[in-house]
Amino acid sequence: LDVDTLKNQNDPIGVDKQTLLDRVSGERIKDRIERIAEHTATPGEGCSRFTYSEEDRCVRDMILDWFDTLGLQVNVDAVGNIRARLVGKNPDLAPVVTGSHIDTVPHGGKFDGVTGVVSAIEAVTCIVDSGFRPERSIEIIVFAEEEGSNFGMTTAGSKTLVGTFSEQDLHHLKNEDGVSMFEMAERFGLHPEHCEQDRIRPGDVDAMIELHVEQSIVLDREGPSIGIVQAIAGGKFYRVHFIGEANHAGATPMDMRKDAMVAAANAIARFHELVMEKKLKDTVGTVGQIHCEPNGSNVIAERVTFTLDIRDVVQEGIDRITDDLEAMFNEVAETFNVTCEIEPVGTSKPVRLSERIIGVIEHAAQSAGLDYRLMNSGAVHDAAEMTPVTDVGMIFVPSIDGKSHKPDEHTHISDIQLGCKLLLSALLDLTAR
Ligand code: HGY
Ligand code: MN
Ligand code: MN
């Protein structure tokens, strides 16, 4: 297809859009997802690829090669967000952004995040291969540290990109070994001290669309294959420490113990009861991670640390739970003669997405005769972090059996291809002027 042919079409964006959309290749999408999935710290046991790890480095290098082949202008920012721009005919116009993340949870799946990155690459590949140049630039962003597997705080890369996180926060956010995100980024060869200058500010970007697997059961169980997201859950995240006294498991009488394990077990059970009692329609609460010290089978636990992940699409649903935590956990601590420390790790605000972008995606779906469902996201996403600086939309494709954050997470390539065509169509409309 030469550019003249494209120009002669009487399509609103001056391009024969259907010809472009028909270029979206399921084969190429599948191949890229599989090649990324090969880079995991736990081969055969799902995808474990934390930001700043060797596995992360390998995938980054491969993606940077793909961007180079596409002739994109690439910049890796202060904390490792990769920004790759297809420069439009009018480079002064604010670009439209699309992308997602490549980092994973421990033993995660191969579709969470990667589907959005690969779909963004596929959409831009179709445009570049066609020789068409959109009016407005399109920028692919591969966000760093979305899962929070290093530091227990989700979307730390996108929070930094838009200035929600300051350089100070990068020093405060630490992993279990006490290494800060600032330090890990430095060790990875980045310049986290540049985070302020690398920020995206309101007006720098015209719009953003993230394509992501749903990670729940609605689309797979009830259809159709396309979800258009209206609201994304926010959350509050904590580490809770119960501190008792190590002692001999056999020689210490029950009434002389300061057992952090029993206290933590009670606290976790009470937390679950609190959530079940006070939750609103979309409120969820999870204890996903626990550590015990000294962790000896014949030693009374001295310190037990567990995480809290409390979410809802409305702030009230989160606050109803967190308001009661301190009193509840202190009561448990007193009962078992130990102490409790609640360490806030971070928060993500629940957000409603842009009516403008939802409208563009809906129009693109209707023009293609695609059935779709308007829905919310219980998972947090980088898209949510971008809402303070631009208009944001999200496209969901089904997760088979609603499974995610586990090795058998799966999405049909045909569904990703459909979602990618919708993404490309919406991007063409958004960059037409
Ligand atoms: O935790 C989440 O919702 C996302 O997968 N990071
Ligand atoms: Mn994700
Ligand atoms: Mn995830």
Side-chain angles (χ1 to χ4, degrees), residues 222-280:
E222 300 168 18
S225 291
I226 294 288
I228 300 177
V229 180
Q230 294 178 297
I232 301 176
K236 280 186 185 172
F237 310 93
Y238 302 86
R239 277 194 199 100
V240 181
H241 309 272
F242 276 90
I243 302 115
E245 202 174 279
N247 215 326
H248 196 293
T252 312
M254 291 309 281
D255 61 0
M256 284 177 59
R257 295 180 174 214
K258 295 185 176 188
D259 188 334
M261 185 70 88
V262 175
N266 272 268
I268 292 169
R270 292 276 304 271
F271 169 72
H272 180 72
E273 287 157 14
L274 173 69
V275 173
M276 296 311 283
E277 178 204 329
K278 303 200 71 175
K279 72 190 222 40
L280 300 180

Side-chain angles (χ1 to χ4, degrees), residues 338-405:
V338 300
T339 56
C340 174
E341 288 165 16
I342 302 178
E343 177 196 352
V345 173
T347 61
S348 283
K349 287 199 182 70
V351 293
R352 298 210 61 81
L353 296 186
S354 154
E355 289 305 325
R356 171 171 83 99
I357 308 304
I358 290 169
V360 166
I361 301 170
E362 281 196 274
H363 172 74
Q366 288 155 6
S367 314
L370 274 182
D371 199 4
Y372 60 88
R373 167 195 288 268
L374 293 171
M375 60 196 296
N376 290 338
S377 171
V380 301
H381 296 288
D382 293 309
E385 298 307 329
M386 294 290 286
T387 54
V389 298
T390 192
D391 293 339
V392 175
M394 280 197 85
I395 296 169
F396 271 176
V397 290
S399 293
I400 295 169
D401 295 332
K403 291 181 184 174
S404 184
H405 282 190

Side-chain angles (χ1 to χ4, degrees), residues 156-196:
S158 46
K159 281 185 170 73
T160 307
L161 181 60
V162 300
T164 305
F165 262 12
S166 66
E167 183 175 331
Q168 203 54 20
D169 291 313
L170 297 180
H171 286 291
H172 286 153
L173 198 59
K174 294 187 174 164
N175 68 8
E176 285 151 21
D177 304 327
V179 181
S180 71
M181 182 166 174
F182 189 98
E183 210 175 322
M184 279 188 93
E186 253 182 349
R187 289 182 192 174
F188 199 64
L190 300 165
H191 293 281
E193 69 280 9
H194 295 166
C195 62
E196 188 51 31

